[in-house]
Amino acid sequence: MSEPEDDSELFRSAIGPVRPLATQPEAPRKPAPRPRARMREADERAAWSEFRHAMHDPLLDPGDVSSHRRDEVPPRVLARLRKGEYAARDELDLHGLTVAVAESLLREFLREAIAAGTGCVRIIHGKGRNSGGLPVIKNLVDRMLRQRADVLAFHSAPPAQGGTGAVLVLLKHR
């Protein structure tokens, strides 16, 4: 018998025949975490913080008029809005909803109205007679509209259009 020349042959002849091991499947990998919109979350937290600060202002009662205009909007525009001289091109009815649902619907409604180029909209919030005191949705609408840069002015609707249970809103053009 001749001596093997290289070490690997020597090793194989010394151990004899081998049986390969069954290969085990690789352990499943943990799925990657879902991506998060961290900037959007930070913006929403900041907006909520500002909104909560604004809630320290006196709240509106059921019969109170809701009114606001940006500094760049002339007072005569608000006077015309108060008289109902602007035609509402779209309408959203929020009364009877929860605050969370109303807030979500209002945000989406305003986003769509601005995207469509709608100049004036009516938001029906109700007078809050079933809220047990203060009109919750009315105050939510008032506070949200004051915080939005795309809202130029708003005023409670004339009596024929809902009175203090609705608000007419002038929106910025895109």
Side-chain angles (χ1 to χ4, degrees):
M1 189 170 195
S2 72
E3 183 105 4
E5 288 186 19
D6 81 90
D7 291 338
S8 62
E9 279 184 46
L10 182 61
F11 175 76
R12 282 191 197 105
S13 67
I15 61 166
V18 291
R19 177 178 51 91
L21 294 174
T23 59
Q24 292 187 354
E26 212 177 291
R29 291 184 183 194
K30 187 177 179 181
R34 296 186 68 199
R36 288 179 39 205
R38 286 190 174 94
M39 290 304 293
R40 181 181 57 89
E41 291 170 1
D43 289 345
E44 285 180 5
R45 278 193 304 275
W48 265 110
S49 175
E50 289 178 30
F51 184 68
R52 285 193 183 98
H53 290 299
M55 289 303 285
H56 294 296
D57 295 339
L59 297 174
L60 297 169
D61 286 322
D64 289 349
V65 171
S66 180
S67 182
H68 176 75
R69 74 173 172 85
R70 298 236 173 261
D71 292 335
E72 66 267 17
V73 177
R76 62 180 155 62
V77 172
L78 186 63
R80 289 184 63 201
L81 190 62
R82 182 183 71 241
K83 294 175 189 174
E85 294 179 5
Y86 292 99
R89 301 287 180 207
D90 205 353
E91 179 176 279
L92 175 65
D93 189 348
L94 297 174
H95 76 284
L97 300 176
T98 65
V99 172
V101 171
E103 179 187 3
S104 175
L105 287 174
L106 180 57
R107 286 183 193 281
E108 184 63 26
F109 174 73
L110 292 174
R111 185 176 18 253
E112 289 174 3
I114 290 164
T118 307
C120 181
V121 296
R122 180 176 27 255
I123 300 167
I124 302 168
H125 46 67
K127 295 185 180 185
R129 292 191 178 128
N130 296 325
S131 297
L134 291 173
V136 178
I137 303 297
K138 179 177 184 170
N139 280 291
L140 170 78
V141 169
D142 184 84
R143 299 302 189 242
M144 282 184 67
L145 294 177
R146 288 176 190 272
Q147 299 295 321
R148 293 188 60 109
D150 47 17
V151 172
L152 297 174
F154 63 89
H155 196 283
S156 290
Q161 296 181 32
T164 57
V167 65
L168 294 176
V169 183
L170 283 182
L171 299 171
K172 265 186 187 177
H173 292 289
R174 252 197 309 174

